[in-house]
């Protein structure tokens, strides 16, 4: 509750006195309002520097998002009442009028209307418009001249100025998808699903009378024509929705000059949903800078995902699944793993190194034997052929299906009893060892009793004339759109980007209809944190669960 109490003082100050204005309001510069919004909602200035305040006589330092005004007063500045604490309204209609007495739990004192000078004094010096010293709950903020100007400009427009892409009748949302080239069908199918979800919402009157409008920019230039052609022609079974289509995208490198997300921001979309990306993009910095929420259906980027900021992921990245395997094996065989190491096989690229580093870090944290880095599949095969090679406890593999096939052949000849674990994107009944159950796949989408019932989404697809194409992306787009609609609805009529982010953070066990329950948090940006162990049925080619749900430990 400290975060909420931080701004109670400002509000108490803003509500405390009464007399007429000392000066007329200044003309508002739109650029200043934009930068002030960032200070108010995110606790960051235009250069990305954190807002700093000092709390109480001890001058406890608060910084960044913890110190942001919106954390207590709400993104719209209208205040709230939670846990018996009154957080006052600090919109211009409240601050610009005198009060004969305080409200709610604030002290019963009169105050004049706030002016620019007295409001700045309250924010930086902790003195109200009536000259009263504010309580310890109100931080004293260190504002340079530029920050003071933009924050006051935004407070002048708080509750009045609308955010980009937002009007009283519409909400414009963006999606960066490949619409042309060899991945064009994937992006077009995802866009069609999101539009259909929005169409259902609009047919019911929209959200607080706002129609949802989708704007899509073509990101095809991020995906070279020379790779991933299989993704345009192969049709996946829904029970196997996260296989090579996703792997094809993961193997691609971005071409930074063709980032559709940047173009969408230039078009002033409010937020983004169901975009696809092969890796981190330069535009991520713009999303973070401006606090633009983005709900991604599938994790494409290498390395650990962020645990704060406006970018939300439905599913964990592959490196988190590597950690989950180590955790699972340690829970059943920790004494053996202290003596006999795991082996890691991975390509020498960013996703491969992230997979290796995740195994190393988790093994170190649990004081297990140091994992063997066997490098690429080709290097691993060479290692297995050495007479002195000792078989590891298990092999954790990521890479191409061809590399996995070569590794399984070598293991069959040299160490046939060593189990192999790999992401479900590689599941294929044609792989050596699959029929014998020697490869265990990691699937975060829910199988067996945890498999989502797809009857509703099947009816949805039929109602909108959508045909099954690439289920991994169609179902991912559907889930992302459902999460977005739920969070916008919870944010209420006074919608802001910061308010949407807060509602996404507050989402718990939300049923998308096509995924395990989704839960986010203040320091949690991955909605599904866990997976099941699965094997491929050699007859049907479908994934079959061989474990219950395994939650991923922090």
């Amino acid at each position: 509750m400290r975060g909420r109490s931080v701004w109670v003082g400002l509000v108490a100050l803003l509500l405390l006195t009464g007399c007429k204005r000392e000066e007329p309001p200044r003309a508002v510069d739109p650029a200043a309002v934009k930068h002030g919004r960032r200070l108010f909602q995110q606790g960051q200035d235009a250069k990305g520097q954190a807002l700093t305040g000092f709390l109480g006589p001890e001058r406890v330092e608060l910084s960044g998002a913890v110190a942001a005004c919106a954390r207590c007063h709400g993104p719209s500045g209208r205040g709230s009442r939670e846990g018996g604490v009154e957080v006052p309204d600090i919109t211009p209609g409240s601050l610009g009028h005198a009060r004969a007495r305080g409200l709610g739990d604030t002290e019963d004192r009169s105050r004049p209307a706030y002016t620019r000078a007295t409001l700045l004094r309250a924010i930086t010096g902790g003195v109200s418009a009536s000259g009263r010293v504010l309580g310890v709950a109100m931080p004293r903020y260190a504002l340079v001249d530029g920050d003071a100007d933009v924050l006051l400009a935004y407070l002048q427009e708080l509750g009045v100025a609308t955010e980009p892409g937002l009007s009283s009748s519409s909400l414009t949302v963006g999606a960066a998808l490949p619409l042309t080239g060899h991945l064009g069908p994937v992006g077009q199918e995802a866009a069609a699903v999101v539009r259909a979800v929005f169409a259902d919402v609009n047919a019911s009157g929209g959200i607080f009378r706002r129609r949802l409008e989708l704007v899509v920019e073509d990101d095809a230039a991020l995906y070279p024509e020379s790779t991933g052609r299989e993704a345009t022609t192969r049709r996946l079974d829904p029970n196997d929705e996260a296989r090579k289509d996703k792997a094809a995208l993961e193997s691609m490198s971005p071409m930074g000059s063709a980032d559709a997300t940047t173009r969408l921001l230039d078009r002033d979309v409010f937020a983004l949903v169901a975009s696809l990306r092969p890796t981190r993009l330069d535009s991520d910095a713009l999303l973070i800078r401006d606090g633009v929420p983005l709900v991604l259906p599938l994790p494409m980027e290498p390395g650990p995902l962020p645990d704060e900021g406006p970018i939300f992921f439905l599913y964990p990245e592959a490196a988190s699944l590597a950690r989950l395997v180590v955790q699972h094996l340690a829970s059943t065989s920790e004494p053996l793993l202290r003596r006999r190491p795991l082996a890691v096989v991975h390509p020498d690229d960013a996703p491969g190194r992230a997979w290796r580093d995740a195994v190393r870090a988790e093994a170190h944290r649990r004081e297990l034997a140091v994992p063997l880095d066997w490098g690429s599949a080709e290097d691993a095969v060479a290692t297995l052929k050495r007479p002195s090679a000792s078989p590891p406890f298990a092999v954790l593999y990521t890479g191409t299906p061809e590399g996995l096939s070569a590794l399984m052949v070598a293991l069959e000849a040299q160490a046939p009893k060593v189990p192999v674990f790999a992401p479900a994107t590689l599941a294929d009944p044609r792989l050596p060892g699959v029929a014998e159950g020697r490869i265990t796949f990691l699937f975060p989408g829910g199988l067996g009793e945890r498999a989502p019932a797809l009857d509703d989404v099947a009816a949805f697809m039929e109602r909108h004339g959508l045909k099954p194409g690439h289920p991994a992306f169609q179902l991912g787009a559907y889930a992302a759109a459902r999460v977005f609609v739920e969070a916008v609805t919870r944010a209420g009529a006074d919608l802001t980007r910061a308010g949407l982010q807060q509602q996404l953070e507050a989402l718990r066990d939300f049923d998308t209809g096509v995924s395990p329950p989704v839960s986010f948090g203040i320091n949690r940006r991955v909605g599904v944190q866990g997976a099941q162990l699965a094997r491929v049925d050699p007859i049907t080619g479908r994934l079959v669960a061989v474990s219950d749900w395994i939650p991923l430990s922090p």
Side-chain angles (χ1 to χ4, degrees):
M1 290 301 296
R2 173 174 291 183
R4 284 198 169 273
S5 64
V6 164
W7 278 79
V8 171
L10 171 59
V11 171
L13 113 90
L14 303 175
L15 294 174
L16 285 178
T17 52
C19 73
K20 64 182 182 181
R21 294 175 183 245
E22 300 170 5
E23 57 191 53
R26 296 187 177 189
V28 176
D29 176 6
V33 171
K34 178 179 180 180
H35 296 154
R37 179 187 292 117
R38 193 175 307 143
L39 272 176
F40 184 89
Q41 295 186 349
Q42 300 171 254
Q44 287 188 346
D45 66 15
K47 297 179 181 179
Q49 301 298 314
L51 174 67
T52 302
F54 300 94
L55 194 63
E58 301 83 4
R59 292 185 63 78
V60 176
E61 183 173 324
L62 302 172
S63 181
V66 175
C69 320
R71 280 294 175 187
C72 287
H73 293 286
S76 66
R78 299 189 186 281
S80 66
R81 183 179 180 87
E82 184 174 337
V85 177
E86 185 80 26
V87 182
D89 184 339
I90 58 169
T91 57
S94 176
L95 299 185
H97 292 84
R99 291 201 182 279
R101 55 181 295 163
L103 295 177
D105 292 340
T106 60
E107 292 188 39
D108 187 11
R109 301 185 186 182
S110 63
R111 66 146 174 86
Y114 273 91
T115 67
R116 174 186 172 84
T118 57
L119 183 54
L120 182 59
R121 182 181 66 176
I123 294 170
T124 59
V127 178
S128 78
S130 63
R132 185 178 64 84
V133 176
L134 297 172
V136 296
M138 172 61 193
R140 279 54 168 166
Y141 286 92
L143 296 178
V144 299
D145 289 343
D147 286 350
D149 288 341
V150 299
L151 181 57
L152 291 175
Y154 183 65
L155 290 175
Q156 186 176 325
E157 294 291 292
L158 188 60
V160 178
T162 58
E163 298 210 352
L166 181 67
S167 74
S168 61
S169 60
S170 66
L171 176 62
T172 303
V173 184
L177 295 164
L179 300 178
T180 57
H182 61 284
L183 289 179
V186 171
Q188 292 169 15
E189 290 165 2
V193 167
V194 177
R195 284 198 174 96
V197 172
F198 286 4
D200 282 352
V201 172
N202 294 337
S204 300
I207 301 177
F208 294 99
R209 299 185 180 180
R210 292 188 178 104
R211 291 180 56 82
L212 300 182
E213 299 178 356
L214 181 67
V215 176
V216 183
E217 284 281 349
D218 190 356
D219 239 358
L222 289 178
Y223 308 98
E225 292 282 346
S226 59
T227 58
R229 293 184 183 276
E230 182 180 50
T232 65
T233 57
R234 195 166 52 79
R235 296 296 182 261
L236 298 180
D237 185 280
N239 201 35
D240 143 68
E241 64 199 51
R243 291 170 56 183
K244 294 174 191 143
D245 287 335
K246 178 174 175 290
L249 293 181
E250 287 178 325
S251 68
M252 301 171 191
S253 60
M255 298 168 62
S257 62
D259 184 353
T261 298
T262 302
R263 300 197 300 274
L264 287 166
L265 295 178
D266 289 341
R267 295 180 66 176
D268 283 340
V269 298
F270 178 81
L272 290 91
V273 64
S275 294
L276 298 179
R277 71 247 310 270
T279 185
R280 287 183 172 90
L281 302 172
D282 291 343
S283 58
D284 288 355
L286 301 178
L287 296 173
I288 294 168
R289 184 196 69 185
D290 292 338
V292 183
L294 164 61
V295 181
L296 287 167
L298 299 173
M300 297 295 175
E301 55 185 68
L305 301 180
D307 55 11
E308 58 183 16
I311 304 176
F312 294 79
F313 304 81
L314 293 187
Y315 291 104
E317 81 286 12
S320 289
L321 299 180
R323 287 182 51 231
L324 183 142
V325 173
V326 179
Q327 292 174 6
H328 171 71
L329 294 176
S331 70
T332 58
S333 307
E334 184 171 330
L336 288 174
L337 285 169
R338 292 183 186 277
R339 303 190 302 270
R340 192 175 167 193
L342 299 167
V344 188
V345 180
H346 61 93
D348 187 23
D349 56 16
R353 291 189 293 271
W355 175 272
R356 175 201 63 195
D357 293 345
V359 175
R360 283 178 174 174
E362 194 64 32
H364 176 75
R365 188 164 75 112
R366 296 176 179 275
E367 299 182 346
L368 307 179
V370 177
L372 304 172
D373 184 359
W374 278 1
S376 67
E378 182 180 355
D379 293 337
V381 170
T383 298
L384 283 166
K385 291 181 178 179
R386 294 172 189 162
S388 60
S390 297
F393 184 86
V395 175
L396 277 67
Y397 175 89
T398 189
T400 64
E402 294 76 17
L404 180 55
S405 179
L407 174 67
M408 294 306 298
V409 170
L411 282 171
E412 180 64 32
Q414 306 296 329
K417 295 185 178 180
V418 173
V420 176
F421 295 84
T425 53
L426 299 173
D428 191 323
R430 296 168 296 182
L431 287 169
V434 162
E436 296 76 22
R438 291 190 52 221
I439 310 177
T440 301
F441 297 99
L442 312 166
F443 188 69
L447 294 168
E449 293 182 356
R450 288 185 171 268
L454 299 178
D455 293 345
D456 288 346
V457 73
F460 161 86
M461 297 278 286
E462 183 176 356
R463 185 169 69 252
H464 289 279
L466 302 177
K467 298 187 180 300
H470 299 82
F473 298 101
Q474 290 175 308
L475 298 181
Y478 180 84
R482 287 283 309 278
V483 165
F484 177 82
V485 168
E486 178 69 15
V488 170
T489 303
R490 295 187 185 191
D494 292 329
L495 181 63
T496 63
R497 285 170 169 171
L500 176 57
Q501 178 173 322
Q502 288 183 9
Q503 291 304 321
L504 286 167
E505 291 173 347
L507 213 59
R508 299 289 185 276
D509 295 325
F510 176 68
D511 182 10
T512 68
V514 295
S515 72
V518 172
S519 295
F520 296 117
I522 292 178
N523 294 311
R524 172 172 168 166
R525 290 299 184 267
V526 179
V528 176
Q529 294 199 354
Q532 287 172 275
L533 303 182
R535 291 180 182 149
V536 176
D537 185 317
I539 298 176
T540 65
R542 296 186 175 188
L543 288 170
V544 178
V546 294
S547 79
D548 199 352
W549 185 258
I550 303 173
L552 178 65
S553 298

